[in-house]
Amino acid sequence: EEKHGDLSFEQDGCIEIHGSGSKGVGIGSGLGGNINIAGGKYVIELMGEEGVAIGSITGSTEMDIKTCNLDLNLSSSITVAVGSIKGNVKVSILHILFQAFLGGNESVGIGSLKGDDSDVFIENSNINLNIRASKLCGIGSGTGNSSVRLLDAGFVIAIQGKECISLGNFTRTGKVNIHNCDLVTRIKSALDYDMGAEEDNINISNGRCYFNLNGEEITRTITQIKHS
């Protein structure tokens, strides 16, 4: 139940964190703060009732994560790989290799589960999300404002549960911008939509995208932008 101030990791080695308990945070704290990761490999495994691999439980957090390798495995009732359970989140991700396996009742891969605002920017990275939960969001937020910007990156998002969305939020008021990405989403869900955003707020340009909901492909327009 404290803030952690500023945390900075600038190293080339491997840090492994294995934890179990009622509530736990791998890197960060309950009430949040600023996190800067610029190098190295991080293997984080958490088990318990509420778990956050990198970020906070109740407080707001800002994160700058670049030039590193993240391997995250969480098995809790409520789980967030990178972000916060109840706080606001602003995260910038650049030049990383990211793999996360999550299981539980409520989950978010990158973003905030119950916070008011989630702002996620990912550039030049390789992201692999595999999540099974009753209610889950791959990248974005639960009910709060959600902005997701993806640039020049590769994504594989495989999620399964009763209520699942790949990007955005559950109020479908999210804003999603995807430019020059290779993106694959595969969803098994009771919902009849795959994105937590209205189609007018989903902007896709260049790149290649494949969206699959319950075995059916969803086709979206990809605008081709020519660079001068």
Side-chain angles (χ1 to χ4, degrees), residues 28-213:
S29 66
L31 296 182
N34 300 322
I35 298 173
N36 176 54
I37 299 176
K41 180 178 180 179
Y42 303 83
V43 178
I44 301 175
E45 295 183 356
L46 299 178
M47 297 180 63
E49 294 180 13
E50 297 182 5
V52 179
I54 303 174
S56 69
I57 293 179
T58 59
S60 297
T61 182
E62 291 194 18
M63 289 176 278
D64 187 8
I65 303 173
K66 59 188 176 185
T67 323
C68 65
N69 186 334
L70 302 182
D71 189 348
L72 314 176
N73 194 324
L74 284 78
S75 181
S76 302
S77 178
I78 298 175
T79 59
V80 176
V82 173
S84 179
I85 293 176
K86 298 179 182 179
N88 298 333
V89 171
K90 184 176 183 179
V91 56
S92 175
I93 292 173
L94 173 65
H95 293 302
I96 78 165
L97 179 63
F98 179 102
Q99 179 174 259
F101 293 88
L102 280 69
N105 187 46
E106 295 180 273
S107 296
V108 168
I110 303 173
S112 178
L113 182 62
K114 300 177 181 180
D116 293 330
D117 291 287
S118 175
D119 185 350
V120 179
F121 175 62
I122 301 173
E123 181 180 3
N124 279 309
S125 298
N126 193 317
I127 308 294
N128 188 324
L129 285 173
N130 192 311
I131 310 175
R132 296 187 67 176
S134 179
K135 185 174 184 178
L136 69 94
C137 171
I139 303 174
S141 68
T143 57
N145 298 322
S146 176
S147 171
V148 178
R149 293 168 292 154
L150 313 177
L151 175 64
D152 297 331
F155 298 85
V156 176
I157 301 174
I159 55 180
Q160 181 175 345
K162 185 178 179 180
E163 299 176 79
C164 303
I165 55 173
S166 57
L167 309 170
N169 61 21
F170 281 101
T171 59
R172 301 200 75 188
T173 58
K175 292 179 172 56
V176 177
N177 289 280
I178 304 167
H179 177 70
N180 200 35
C181 292
D182 278 352
L183 172 66
V184 175
T185 66
R186 293 187 175 91
I187 300 175
K188 292 183 179 180
S189 170
L191 300 178
D192 60 0
Y193 56 89
D194 67 326
M195 287 263 204
E198 298 294 341
E199 292 298 324
D200 289 344
N201 289 323
I202 302 172
N203 298 306
I204 307 173
S205 57
N206 296 12
R208 299 176 296 181
C209 293
Y210 174 78
F211 307 98
N212 187 294
L213 175 62

